[in-house]
Amino acid sequence: MDHRGPGPASPTRAADPPEGEHMDTAEAILAGLGGSDNILDLEACITRLRVEVQDPGRVDEAALRGAGAHGVLVQGDAVQVIVGPQADTIAEDIEDLR
């Protein structure tokens, strides 16, 4: 017996973006963070990228905002780049570029 009732055969949800869709954004953010060799650690946390950088002086906040960041927080060598719900995808794309 089928208990699903009328409607689509499976629940609909927004499709995940195609792989690499955020690659341009990832490249721009990587550059804004001072390049691959300036990143010591990077992880996505819901809507932001949490990054530990070697030299905070190489972080270009204007470039990060130009890349689409909604906000940038720099405290010592810790940088948070607020990018929205695509943070996981962008972090994966940055790791692919490194």
Side-chain angles (χ1 to χ4, degrees):
M1 180 174 222
D2 187 357
H3 298 283
R4 289 181 288 177
S10 63
T12 57
R13 62 171 242 222
D16 291 332
E19 186 173 324
E21 179 177 308
H22 298 289
M23 195 58 80
D24 290 342
T25 301
E27 288 175 350
I29 289 175
L30 181 60
L33 289 169
S36 181
D37 62 333
N38 198 37
I39 296 175
L40 300 175
D41 188 41
L42 180 142
E43 65 181 32
C45 180
I46 305 176
T47 61
R48 60 189 65 203
L49 304 171
R50 295 180 186 264
V51 187
E52 180 183 357
V53 296
Q54 185 169 353
D55 179 2
R58 291 172 55 186
V59 174
D60 185 340
E61 292 186 41
L64 292 170
R65 289 181 190 275
H70 303 295
V72 179
L73 303 170
V74 180
Q75 188 169 28
D77 62 357
V79 181
Q80 294 186 27
V81 183
I82 302 164
V83 293
Q86 66 273 19
D88 282 328
T89 304
I90 292 172
E92 290 173 8
D93 288 348
I94 290 173
E95 289 298 338
D96 288 345
L97 292 168
R98 296 180 65 202

